[in-house]
Amino acid sequence: RPVWCEDGCGKQFRLARLLDNNFEAIRREVADFWEHPDAAKELSGVGGHTTQFDKAIAGNGTWIDVRLFRGRAFNRRLCEQHFRVICSIVEASPEVWTNPWSHVLLSVLLKDSWVPYHHGHTNGQLTFHLPVSMPSAGGGSSAELAVLSRGGELPDDGAQQRSLYEHPAEQIARWTEGSTLVFDDSYAHAVRYRTAGGQGTGAAAPRRDSFLRLPGGGEARVILLMRAWHPEFPPEE
């Protein structure tokens, strides 16, 4: 199934429970990092810290990331200087660090930005999203994960796929700040952060004091992303 849980995932997944229980400490780490001079140089354009595949699927607006772990290797400088809590959770989670496909990163999406439909390379893992900073509720602002539960729904032409903003068969999952969402990214999915004036509708959401902003301005949807082995994937495989 594409989305395993939107809230209460800690009842099912040990990793989700660790993330939820440490949310306040994680949020403080991210907020402190945002105020540090290192943040500006680490907030690279998409593809710089993940893969060129991610760069190829970037849609409209701004999608950037800060990589903390990839290919079974930590970004030691960031872990030691800024993200001790997050990296200690990875160290305590073999379902993450033994997975050769795993990424751990801060995924940052600016308002009126979207990532077109795409899918991951394997169904042997699940993706964990801990929302660190989200648009405030109401006012027409919305951050959402759209998923397709069946294959064959997308156009065969790659250019048409990349230009597809919505799909009539999509299911919407929404993030709740501080509550981990778990999904299977081998299913086609898209990510959108809509506000008035973009492809969404309604008035702009009011700014919150806790809302993280990128260096130089710009409100951001920020998610801590981790990928871990699929629970139905036998260890011997």
Side-chain angles (χ1 to χ4, degrees), residues 23-47:
F23 169 68
E24 292 299 337
I26 290 170
R27 185 175 176 82
R28 284 194 299 272
E29 281 191 335
V30 175
D32 289 345
F33 175 71
W34 246 242
E35 299 298 324
H36 195 279
D38 285 350
K41 60 185 178 184
E42 291 295 338
L43 290 168
S44 300
V46 68

Side-chain angles (χ1 to χ4, degrees), residues 1-138:
R1 56 188 183 274
V3 178
W4 282 63
C5 48
E6 292 185 48
D7 53 39
C9 295
K11 298 176 182 177
Q12 188 173 359
F13 297 99
R14 171 184 167 276
L15 178 58
R17 187 162 61 251
L18 277 174
L19 293 171
D20 291 354
N21 289 346
N22 287 278
F23 169 68
E24 292 299 337
I26 290 170
R27 185 175 176 82
R28 284 194 299 272
E29 281 191 335
V30 175
D32 289 345
F33 175 71
W34 246 242
E35 299 298 324
H36 195 279
D38 285 350
K41 60 185 178 184
E42 291 295 338
L43 290 168
S44 300
V46 68
H49 284 169
T50 50
T51 65
Q52 290 304 309
F53 168 75
D54 291 326
K55 190 173 184 178
I57 62 172
N60 293 328
T62 304
W63 174 30
I64 51 185
D65 56 71
V66 178
R67 179 185 60 80
L68 304 180
F69 179 88
R70 180 187 171 193
R72 296 181 177 176
F74 287 97
N75 184 324
R76 290 292 178 187
R77 185 179 61 81
L78 287 182
C79 284
E80 292 171 3
Q81 296 181 11
H82 300 289
F83 298 106
R84 290 182 178 272
V85 173
I86 295 173
C87 294
S88 68
I89 291 173
V90 177
E91 289 176 335
S93 304
E95 63 267 47
V96 176
W97 59 260
T98 63
N99 175 9
W101 302 298
S102 184
H103 288 300
V104 176
L105 54 88
L106 295 174
S107 174
V108 183
L109 197 69
L110 296 191
K111 62 183 180 179
D112 299 325
S113 299
W114 61 286
V115 181
Y117 271 100
H118 62 287
H119 58 80
H121 299 296
T122 176
N123 62 359
Q125 64 183 355
L126 294 179
T127 298
F128 291 69
H129 279 180
L130 175 65
V132 178
S133 180
M134 300 298 295
S136 54

